[in-house]
Amino acid sequence: MDAVLVVNAGSSSVKFQIFEYSPSAAPRCLVKGQMDGIGTKPRLRAAGSNGKSKSLVDQTYGPGEIADGPAAISAVGDWLRNTQKLTLVAVGHRVVHGGPDYDRPILVDHDVLERLKQYCPLAPLHQPNNLAPIRSLMERRPDLPQVACFDTAFHRSHGALADRYAIPEQFYREGVRRYGFHGLSYEYVAGRLRDVAPEIAAKRVIVAHLGSGASMCALLEGKSVESTMGFTALDGLPMGTRPGQIDPGVLLYLIAEKSMSASALENLLYRDCGLKGMSGISNDLRELQTSKEASAALAIDYFVYRIALNAGMLAVALGGLDALVFTAGIGENSAMIRSRVAEKLRWLGVALDDHSNQKAETLISRADSRVRVYVVPTDEELMIARHTQRLIRK
């Protein structure tokens, strides 16, 4: 069977999905899996696409056997070849940063790969790990088409006001601008709205992608007009380990008064801030919800407060608001966060139906709510599969 492999590579894990490829039909997911604990306690797991199927594999390795991302991709590839009897026709990759050059998915060659390397400092947690499996597969299977799908591409529709910082023009020309991220998620949700809520899909919509990484996006006619993230994936909402919006003067203070190096500052901002830094307990919202520590409650309060503040900002960018959509891990699964955010947005006309919210139904607002509120599960991997299939058909 012809298939497309979709890869979402991180620092300690590689998530993957296999989609049936057809020249004329939409991609259909066959297998979902991941290799986690890379370099420490590697474990390969995979199951059928509906998540309820019997496990296809649950295998552990020694740390030295799967020491890095390329080794993980190699092990995943060996397992697929030996057990699934598939013929790979292409591989689609999530690549976080496409910079100013790439506003759509692209077939990757050596030149493209080199250009994408220059954005590693702008997404140090993601970009190097996104590119490592591309490079590895390019060496092992130079004949295999690979497609890079960018988290920034969906936001390239921003106008000049949303795209810029108030800094000298030369820096903008060099690429210092507001890119926005989680674009694959927003693109998928914008498409799903045409199916689940066609009456509001083209109207003024705020999508809250709330997970370990969190951001919000303002949609008008299904296109991104503003986002809470900017030059890097540090801006906007507080996240699991990232601070979100912060006064640049704080960073200057840490450099001048605390003698922090660039690498120490990078480590602080990407790994030790956000919910983890505020609570001093965990970056996992589920742990914070069960904690009795005051710092855990403060971190949750702050998270909700900043979501509501940014919703107000995005409503201004849209000139009003017709719908609010929750998506991603926290957005899809935490009725408490949805309820608390909605309460702070009552002034905008948001009114939740408590029963629908607890059940995480698609429409969770009351009939008398001026702003409709939805829960729409995201599927970035399916979005990548669609882009990959579309490109290789050409």
Side-chain angles (χ1 to χ4, degrees):
M1 179 186 297
D2 288 346
V4 168
L5 170 64
V6 169
V7 177
N8 186 347
S11 58
S12 61
S13 68
V14 173
K15 297 179 182 178
F16 64 92
Q17 291 189 27
I18 292 289
F19 291 83
E20 181 181 359
Y21 171 76
S22 167
S24 56
R28 181 174 67 89
C29 186
L30 304 172
V31 176
K32 294 183 179 182
Q34 68 180 58
M35 172 80 77
D36 52 24
I38 294 171
T40 55
K41 297 179 179 179
R43 183 183 182 188
L44 171 61
R45 289 172 289 173
S49 61
N50 62 12
K52 299 178 182 178
S53 300
K54 182 179 178 181
S55 173
L56 298 174
V57 64
D58 190 342
Q59 181 177 347
T60 58
Y61 301 80
E65 293 181 88
I66 311 293
D68 53 24
I73 286 292
S74 178
V76 168
D78 289 343
W79 174 76
L80 289 172
R81 281 190 297 273
N82 294 332
T83 66
Q84 300 305 298
K85 310 305 180 187
L86 301 170
T87 301
L88 285 185
V89 297
V91 182
H93 300 265
R94 178 195 178 204
V95 177
V96 165
H97 216 304
D101 297 326
Y102 300 110
D103 62 355
R104 66 199 65 191
I106 188 170
L107 279 165
V108 182
D109 57 22
H110 288 285
D111 290 338
V112 170
L113 187 60
E114 286 303 307
R115 294 180 74 176
L116 293 176
K117 282 173 59 179
Q118 67 182 305
Y119 305 125
C120 287
L122 308 188
L125 288 188
H126 303 92
Q127 195 85 350
N129 297 303
N130 298 157
L131 301 183
I134 298 178
R135 186 179 299 106
S136 177
L137 283 168
M138 198 173 282
E139 294 170 354
R140 295 169 181 267
R141 291 284 308 275
D143 58 312
L144 185 63
Q146 297 192 76
V147 176
C149 301
F150 305 103
D151 263 344
T152 51
F154 185 65
H155 303 293
R156 301 315 300 139
S157 56
H158 286 182
L161 296 181
D163 199 38
R164 293 171 181 262
Y165 292 107
I167 57 176
E169 176 69 14
Q170 70 182 76
F171 296 113
Y172 178 80
R173 291 197 298 268
E174 293 170 4
V176 182
R177 58 187 72 181
R178 300 186 68 250
Y179 291 102
F181 296 87
H182 295 132
L184 291 164
S185 176
Y186 293 128
E187 184 180 10
Y188 177 82
V189 170
R192 280 292 293 153
L193 284 175
R194 291 194 290 268
D195 297 325
V196 301
E199 67 279 8
I200 63 95
K203 293 185 178 180
R204 301 166 299 183
V205 180
I206 292 174
V207 182
H209 176 106
L210 307 180
S212 179
S215 69
M216 298 169 73
C217 176
L219 299 177
L220 184 62
E221 296 182 352
K223 296 181 179 180
S224 173
V225 298
E226 182 60 272
S227 171
T228 57
M229 281 183 169
F231 184 55
T232 70
L234 287 170
D235 201 6
L237 303 180
M239 295 165 249
T241 60
R242 287 169 268 171
Q245 183 181 13
I246 189 169
D247 183 345
V250 173
L251 311 184
L252 295 175
Y253 168 81
L254 294 176
I255 293 169
E257 301 300 326
K258 298 296 183 179
S259 301
M260 290 189 74
S261 65
S263 61
L265 195 59
E266 179 182 286
N267 191 65
L268 170 71
L269 295 174
Y270 279 99
R271 295 179 173 86
D272 291 327
C273 290
L275 298 179
K276 177 184 176 183
M278 276 195 96
S279 69
I281 298 170
S282 174
N283 65 322
D284 192 323
L285 184 74
R286 293 166 295 188
E287 290 186 42
L288 300 182
Q289 285 182 239
T290 60
S291 174
K292 296 181 180 179
E293 296 293 329
S295 61
L298 176 63
I300 294 173
D301 289 346
Y302 185 77
F303 185 56
V304 171
Y305 175 64
R306 300 306 298 192
I307 293 169
L309 279 182
N310 280 270
M313 175 191 77
L314 295 177
V316 170
L318 290 168
L321 186 61
D322 298 302
L324 172 65
V325 179
F326 290 96
T327 194
I330 295 172
E332 295 170 25
N333 296 300
S334 178
M336 180 271 289
I337 291 295
R338 294 193 298 264
S339 177
R340 292 189 58 183
V341 170
E343 181 63 26
K344 286 192 173 294
L345 297 179
R346 286 178 63 188
W347 65 276
L348 269 173
V350 174
L352 284 197
D353 179 282
D354 291 335
H355 179 72
S356 298
N357 183 43
Q358 289 298 323
K359 293 181 66 177
E361 295 178 352
T362 301
L363 178 64
I364 60 172
S365 51
R366 295 202 314 249
D368 62 343
S369 180
R370 293 200 307 272
V371 174
R372 293 194 179 190
V373 186
Y374 297 87
V375 178
V376 179
T378 191
D379 196 334
E380 293 163 301
E381 286 77 17
L382 178 56
M383 201 72 246
I384 294 169
R386 288 173 178 171
H387 284 309
T388 301
Q389 184 162 292
R390 191 176 300 122
L391 264 182
I392 63 174
R393 280 174 177 169
K394 294 180 179 179

PDB file of all heavy atoms in Angstrom, residues 17-30:
ATOM      1  N   GLN A  17       2.671   9.621  12.155  1.00  0.00           N
ATOM      2  CA  GLN A  17       1.433   9.015  11.691  1.00  0.00           C
ATOM      3  C   GLN A  17       1.638   8.524  10.259  1.00  0.00           C
ATOM      4  O   GLN A  17       2.413   9.121   9.500  1.00  0.00           O
ATOM      5  CB  GLN A  17       0.259  10.002  11.741  1.00  0.00           C
ATOM      6  CG  GLN A  17      -0.171  10.377  13.147  1.00  0.00           C
ATOM      7  CD  GLN A  17      -1.464  11.173  13.185  1.00  0.00           C
ATOM      8  OE1 GLN A  17      -2.304  11.048  12.301  1.00  0.00           O
ATOM      9  NE2 GLN A  17      -1.630  11.993  14.213  1.00  0.00           N
ATOM     10  N   ILE A  18       0.939   7.454   9.941  1.00  0.00           N
ATOM     11  CA  ILE A  18       0.960   6.906   8.585  1.00  0.00           C
ATOM     12  C   ILE A  18      -0.405   7.133   7.957  1.00  0.00           C
ATOM     13  O   ILE A  18      -1.433   6.800   8.545  1.00  0.00           O
ATOM     14  CB  ILE A  18       1.286   5.406   8.594  1.00  0.00           C
ATOM     15  CG1 ILE A  18       2.734   5.172   9.037  1.00  0.00           C
ATOM     16  CG2 ILE A  18       1.052   4.784   7.232  1.00  0.00           C
ATOM     17  CD1 ILE A  18       3.759   5.610   8.014  1.00  0.00           C
ATOM     18  N   PHE A  19      -0.403   7.705   6.763  1.00  0.00           N
ATOM     19  CA  PHE A  19      -1.639   7.952   6.021  1.00  0.00           C
ATOM     20  C   PHE A  19      -1.618   7.183   4.704  1.00  0.00           C
ATOM     21  O   PHE A  19      -0.596   7.155   4.014  1.00  0.00           O
ATOM     22  CB  PHE A  19      -1.802   9.445   5.717  1.00  0.00           C
ATOM     23  CG  PHE A  19      -2.061  10.295   6.925  1.00  0.00           C
ATOM     24  CD1 PHE A  19      -1.008  10.729   7.718  1.00  0.00           C
ATOM     25  CD2 PHE A  19      -3.358  10.657   7.276  1.00  0.00           C
ATOM     26  CE1 PHE A  19      -1.240  11.513   8.840  1.00  0.00           C
ATOM     27  CE2 PHE A  19      -3.599  11.434   8.394  1.00  0.00           C
ATOM     28  CZ  PHE A  19      -2.538  11.867   9.188  1.00  0.00           C
ATOM     29  N   GLU A  20      -2.738   6.568   4.394  1.00  0.00           N
ATOM     30  CA  GLU A  20      -2.868   5.929   3.083  1.00  0.00           C
ATOM     31  C   GLU A  20      -2.839   6.999   2.007  1.00  0.00           C
ATOM     32  O   GLU A  20      -3.508   8.028   2.122  1.00  0.00           O
ATOM     33  CB  GLU A  20      -4.178   5.143   3.016  1.00  0.00           C
ATOM     34  CG  GLU A  20      -4.381   4.418   1.694  1.00  0.00           C
ATOM     35  CD  GLU A  20      -5.693   3.662   1.634  1.00  0.00           C
ATOM     36  OE1 GLU A  20      -6.447   3.684   2.632  1.00  0.00           O
ATOM     37  OE2 GLU A  20      -5.960   3.061   0.580  1.00  0.00           O
ATOM     38  N   TYR A  21      -2.038   6.756   0.977  1.00  0.00           N
ATOM     39  CA  TYR A  21      -1.923   7.718  -0.119  1.00  0.00           C
ATOM     40  C   TYR A  21      -2.740   7.262  -1.314  1.00  0.00           C
ATOM     41  O   TYR A  21      -2.674   6.103  -1.737  1.00  0.00           O
ATOM     42  CB  TYR A  21      -0.470   7.891  -0.547  1.00  0.00           C
ATOM     43  CG  TYR A  21      -0.338   8.717  -1.812  1.00  0.00           C
ATOM     44  CD1 TYR A  21      -0.480  10.095  -1.779  1.00  0.00           C
ATOM     45  CD2 TYR A  21      -0.124   8.098  -3.047  1.00  0.00           C
ATOM     46  CE1 TYR A  21      -0.393  10.845  -2.942  1.00  0.00           C
ATOM     47  CE2 TYR A  21      -0.033   8.843  -4.216  1.00  0.00           C
ATOM     48  CZ  TYR A  21      -0.168  10.221  -4.153  1.00  0.00           C
ATOM     49  OH  TYR A  21      -0.098  10.965  -5.311  1.00  0.00           O
ATOM     50  N   SER A  22      -3.498   8.202  -1.854  1.00  0.00           N
ATOM     51  CA  SER A  22      -4.229   7.954  -3.093  1.00  0.00           C
ATOM     52  C   SER A  22      -4.102   9.182  -3.975  1.00  0.00           C
ATOM     53  O   SER A  22      -4.218  10.312  -3.482  1.00  0.00           O
ATOM     54  CB  SER A  22      -5.703   7.682  -2.803  1.00  0.00           C
ATOM     55  OG  SER A  22      -6.457   7.728  -4.002  1.00  0.00           O
ATOM     56  N   PRO A  23      -3.873   8.998  -5.263  1.00  0.00           N
ATOM     57  CA  PRO A  23      -3.782  10.165  -6.148  1.00  0.00           C
ATOM     58  C   PRO A  23      -5.079  10.950  -6.253  1.00  0.00           C
ATOM     59  O   PRO A  23      -5.077  12.110  -6.663  1.00  0.00           O
ATOM     60  CB  PRO A  23      -3.418   9.545  -7.502  1.00  0.00           C
ATOM     61  CG  PRO A  23      -2.839   8.213  -7.175  1.00  0.00           C
ATOM     62  CD  PRO A  23      -3.571   7.747  -5.963  1.00  0.00           C
ATOM     63  N   SER A  24      -6.200  10.335  -5.853  1.00  0.00           N
ATOM     64  CA  SER A  24      -7.481  10.995  -6.060  1.00  0.00           C
ATOM     65  C   SER A  24      -8.310  11.177  -4.786  1.00  0.00           C
ATOM     66  O   SER A  24      -9.286  11.918  -4.792  1.00  0.00           O
ATOM     67  CB  SER A  24      -8.324  10.198  -7.074  1.00  0.00           C
ATOM     68  OG  SER A  24      -8.492   8.861  -6.640  1.00  0.00           O
ATOM     69  N   ALA A  25      -7.940  10.509  -3.699  1.00  0.00           N
ATOM     70  CA  ALA A  25      -8.739  10.582  -2.468  1.00  0.00           C
ATOM     71  C   ALA A  25      -7.983  11.326  -1.371  1.00  0.00           C
ATOM     72  O   ALA A  25      -6.762  11.493  -1.439  1.00  0.00           O
ATOM     73  CB  ALA A  25      -9.106   9.177  -1.996  1.00  0.00           C
ATOM     74  N   ALA A  26      -8.724  11.770  -0.355  1.00  0.00           N
ATOM     75  CA  ALA A  26      -8.121  12.453   0.786  1.00  0.00           C
ATOM     76  C   ALA A  26      -7.295  11.460   1.603  1.00  0.00           C
ATOM     77  O   ALA A  26      -7.593  10.258   1.621  1.00  0.00           O
ATOM     78  CB  ALA A  26      -9.209  13.069   1.659  1.00  0.00           C
ATOM     79  N   PRO A  27      -6.233  11.923   2.271  1.00  0.00           N
ATOM     80  CA  PRO A  27      -5.425  11.011   3.090  1.00  0.00           C
ATOM     81  C   PRO A  27      -6.240  10.424   4.240  1.00  0.00           C
ATOM     82  O   PRO A  27      -7.044  11.116   4.858  1.00  0.00           O
ATOM     83  CB  PRO A  27      -4.295  11.897   3.601  1.00  0.00           C
ATOM     84  CG  PRO A  27      -4.787  13.291   3.462  1.00  0.00           C
ATOM     85  CD  PRO A  27      -5.719  13.299   2.314  1.00  0.00           C
ATOM     86  N   ARG A  28      -6.003   9.143   4.502  1.00  0.00           N
ATOM     87  CA  ARG A  28      -6.702   8.446   5.590  1.00  0.00           C
ATOM     88  C   ARG A  28      -5.678   7.876   6.550  1.00  0.00           C
ATOM     89  O   ARG A  28      -4.788   7.124   6.144  1.00  0.00           O
ATOM     90  CB  ARG A  28      -7.574   7.325   5.023  1.00  0.00           C
ATOM     91  CG  ARG A  28      -8.367   6.561   6.073  1.00  0.00           C
ATOM     92  CD  ARG A  28      -9.322   5.571   5.408  1.00  0.00           C
ATOM     93  NE  ARG A  28      -8.625   4.492   4.727  1.00  0.00           N
ATOM     94  CZ  ARG A  28      -8.270   3.326   5.316  1.00  0.00           C
ATOM     95  NH1 ARG A  28      -8.552   3.130   6.592  1.00  0.00           N
ATOM     96  NH2 ARG A  28      -7.660   2.391   4.617  1.00  0.00           N
ATOM     97  N   CYS A  29      -5.804   8.256   7.844  1.00  0.00           N
ATOM     98  CA  CYS A  29      -4.822   7.818   8.830  1.00  0.00           C
ATOM     99  C   CYS A  29      -4.959   6.320   9.106  1.00  0.00           C
ATOM    100  O   CYS A  29      -6.056   5.809   9.327  1.00  0.00           O
ATOM    101  CB  CYS A  29      -4.986   8.609  10.119  1.00  0.00           C
ATOM    102  SG  CYS A  29      -3.708   8.250  11.342  1.00  0.00           S
ATOM    103  N   LEU A  30      -3.815   5.630   9.119  1.00  0.00           N
ATOM    104  CA  LEU A  30      -3.775   4.198   9.390  1.00  0.00           C
ATOM    105  C   LEU A  30      -3.144   3.879  10.742  1.00  0.00           C
ATOM    106  O   LEU A  30      -3.600   2.989  11.457  1.00  0.00           O
ATOM    107  CB  LEU A  30      -2.969   3.478   8.296  1.00  0.00           C
ATOM    108  CG  LEU A  30      -3.422   3.672   6.855  1.00  0.00           C
ATOM    109  CD1 LEU A  30      -2.404   3.059   5.901  1.00  0.00           C
ATOM    110  CD2 LEU A  30      -4.795   3.064   6.639  1.00  0.00           C
TER     111      LEU A  30
END
